[in-house]
Amino acid sequence: MASPSTPVIAVVGAGFSGVTTALQLLRDGAAVRVILLERNTPVGLGAAYASHNPSHRLNVRAGNMSAWPDQPDDFVAWMRDLGVDVGPGDFATRGDYGRYLQGLLAGIVEGPEGAGRLVVAPDAVVGLEPGGDGWRLTTAMGRPILADAVVLALGNPPPCRPAGVDEALAASRAYVADPWRWDPARLPNGPVLLLGTGLTMVDVALSLEDAMPGRKIIALSRRGLTPREHQGEPPARPPSPPAPDIPPLAALAWLRRTAAVHGWRTAVDALRPATQDLWRGWSVARKQAFLRHARPFWDVHRHRLSPEVASRVADLRRTGRLTVAAGKIVRLAEAEDGRVDGAWRPRGEVGSQPFSVTAVINATGPTGDVTRSDDPLVLDLIRRGLARPDPLRLGLDVDAGNRLRDVSGSATPTLFAVGPITRGAWWEINAVPDIRGQAALVAQAVLGATRRP
């Protein structure tokens, strides 16, 4: 049982980022007490792994999905113990991965060393302020929580409302704002418009097809780019990455040269080990240039589909059940019969084309501007000056040790962040291999900052 002198660590968010941080904090019997707070249920899954649809698969091979950086076979071994035939090169379902994370969490909570050291609180944190020698957290239920250090593991933010969706449409039953928390079976029969053509679109399209096979689906984005497919095993000896100080245009030229010899997938994978160093070495202007010109192409080659999912998407497109278009919404409005009438302008053209659908689903993916967040905690931190947006507004500004910077730019010793909220600092911080390493580093820094004399 934790004593009054035992440091208390509050981890806000119990998706992958929060769970792995909590596990690392409690590993090897560290003398701390961890409070893991999560506003959504079930705890331990986050948006990514709450799906029970077997069509939703990981887009990283199982052999690289262990929650532990130093135990690379842990997830595959867990699947094997369950009798599930998933090898290191296969792609497990996201539901299975969620159960794996919950199993790790349960192992700590229910184990003899976990008693009193981990508290899972199903509550939202809406405010945070300095209190005493640590922090005072305010929850949606109104109860204050005192902690010596806080780790923000907020996960991916929900998508912002796209241009063209006005207040009236946003409030109607014909519009789905959150693509991760909805029931496809409740939509009326008829064609559906998906705004976005990335990974979120793929999940939504498969959910729609599973709920009502044959439904007409239209996916629209500015460029109409869709995620590429994982093909075969990675090469045993990938090309060496470029020097970490090359500018974006030189990095793009390197990618093109390498892709001409090895293919785009191998070229992007070869660049991955240098991505964070490249990003941190670029000026704000260079990063802005990358986001403006290269990000869509990077995303579709970097965040790829498992062969099983890619095959289903290809079948949907081949049979005309899924149409992917490049263009811009000109008009959207709910009609008197509950349908949505609108018009879109194809990319490169002047004229617009009308359409009518039964529903519009926001599948644009996580918002890319933290200043448009509707998270009360994020807004409270910025309002109080305890945190500030990073220069690109991709998330909250952190230093090299993942400590939040306040409005003056100073890093706060006992206030940390982990996962996608730090992407302005690291860019590549969405995938399990990136976050698990960051979580381990953050846990060690937290333990060092809260160690009793």
Side-chain angles (χ1 to χ4, degrees):
M1 182 68 67
S3 69
S5 64
T6 301
V8 175
I9 316 300
V11 179
V12 183
F16 179 79
S17 302
V19 168
T20 51
T21 301
L23 293 173
Q24 290 286 350
L25 285 168
L26 296 169
R27 195 176 192 184
D28 301 326
V32 295
R33 184 169 181 258
V34 176
I35 304 175
L36 184 60
L37 296 114
E38 173 57 52
R39 60 185 172 186
N40 296 316
T41 55
V43 170
L45 300 182
Y49 309 119
S51 172
H52 297 294
N53 188 334
S55 297
H56 294 168
R57 291 185 175 267
L58 301 173
N59 62 342
V60 176
R61 290 179 173 86
N64 208 11
M65 289 295 290
S66 170
W68 306 104
D70 57 348
Q71 298 177 29
D73 299 327
D74 192 62
F75 175 56
V76 173
W78 182 87
M79 294 288 285
R80 187 185 305 117
D81 289 344
L82 290 183
V84 181
D85 186 19
V86 172
D90 298 326
F91 296 84
T93 69
R94 296 222 301 268
D96 278 339
Y97 194 72
R99 285 184 280 276
Y100 163 69
L101 293 180
Q102 287 187 315
L104 293 177
L105 199 59
I108 293 290
V109 173
E110 298 169 2
E113 296 184 357
R117 298 181 62 232
L118 176 62
V119 176
V120 179
D123 201 351
V125 177
V126 297
L128 176 64
E129 61 182 339
D133 294 329
W135 298 93
R136 178 185 295 270
L137 295 83
T138 302
T139 69
M141 294 183 182
R143 54 181 176 178
I145 294 175
L146 301 179
D148 295 276
V150 177
V151 180
L152 303 181
L154 305 180
N156 274 313
C160 287
R161 188 201 305 171
V165 178
D166 61 17
E167 292 284 350
L169 179 58
S172 75
R173 297 182 61 184
Y175 176 68
V176 176
D178 189 342
W180 299 301
R181 295 184 182 277
W182 63 293
D183 183 359
R186 295 178 64 87
L187 291 183
N189 191 17
V192 174
L193 174 64
L194 309 185
L195 300 177
T197 59
L199 291 173
T200 304
M201 178 278 292
V202 171
D203 282 350
V204 174
L206 295 183
S207 294
L208 285 168
E209 173 66 13
D210 290 341
M212 188 173 291
R215 181 197 295 267
K216 176 72 174 177
I217 304 169
I218 307 163
L220 175 69
S221 69
R222 195 156 59 114
R223 291 183 174 85
L225 298 174
T226 58
R228 303 305 192 256
E229 175 189 351
H230 281 282
Q231 291 183 341
E233 293 288 337
R237 299 183 61 182
S240 299
D245 58 349
I246 64 173
L249 288 179
L252 183 59
W254 179 91
L255 269 173
R256 286 172 173 161
R257 291 194 305 271
T258 306
V261 177
H262 302 281
W264 273 103
R265 295 167 179 82
T266 297
V268 168
D269 288 346
L271 187 60
R272 281 281 292 111
T275 303
Q276 290 188 349
D277 288 339
L278 278 170
W279 182 259
R280 290 190 69 80
W282 287 346
S283 65
V284 171
R286 285 179 169 180
K287 292 174 181 176
Q288 289 172 329
F290 170 84
L291 295 175
R292 188 165 52 249
H293 300 296
R295 177 180 183 175
F297 302 96
W298 171 262
D299 283 347
V300 298
H301 287 93
R302 164 69 184 93
H303 303 289
R304 301 195 288 269
L305 303 176
S306 70
E308 296 92 336
V309 170
S311 177
R312 286 200 62 191
V313 172
D315 181 65
L316 290 176
R317 298 183 69 173
R318 184 174 57 253
T319 59
R321 289 171 287 170
L322 170 63
T323 300
V324 177
K328 182 179 180 180
I329 290 291
V330 176
R331 176 176 54 85
L332 282 175
E334 185 182 17
E336 291 184 0
D337 62 359
R339 294 172 66 89
V340 177
D341 293 334
W344 71 288
R345 183 170 60 246
R347 185 175 177 83
E349 298 184 15
V350 177
S352 61
Q353 300 180 11
F355 64 83
S356 180
V357 295
T358 58
V360 175
I361 300 177
N362 186 353
T364 55
T367 180
D369 185 348
V370 73
T371 64
R372 298 180 65 186
S373 173
D374 60 1
D375 187 324
L377 176 58
V378 172
L379 297 176
D380 183 69
L381 287 167
I382 294 175
R383 179 181 61 82
R384 292 178 181 273
L386 296 172
R388 68 180 188 181
D390 65 67
L392 299 167
R393 302 190 304 189
L394 296 174
L396 296 178
D397 199 11
V398 297
D399 70 0
N402 296 292
R403 297 171 179 84
L404 262 70
R405 295 186 187 274
D406 64 19
V407 68
S408 71
S410 298
T412 306
T414 55
L415 182 57
F416 296 80
V418 65
I421 196 69
T422 67
R423 58 182 168 174
W426 305 106
W427 178 242
E428 281 292 325
I429 200 66
N430 280 308
V432 162
D434 300 312
I435 297 175
R436 68 187 177 198
Q438 184 192 36
L441 293 174
V442 166
Q444 289 305 308
V446 171
L447 293 175
T450 58
R451 187 170 291 118
R452 301 296 194 212

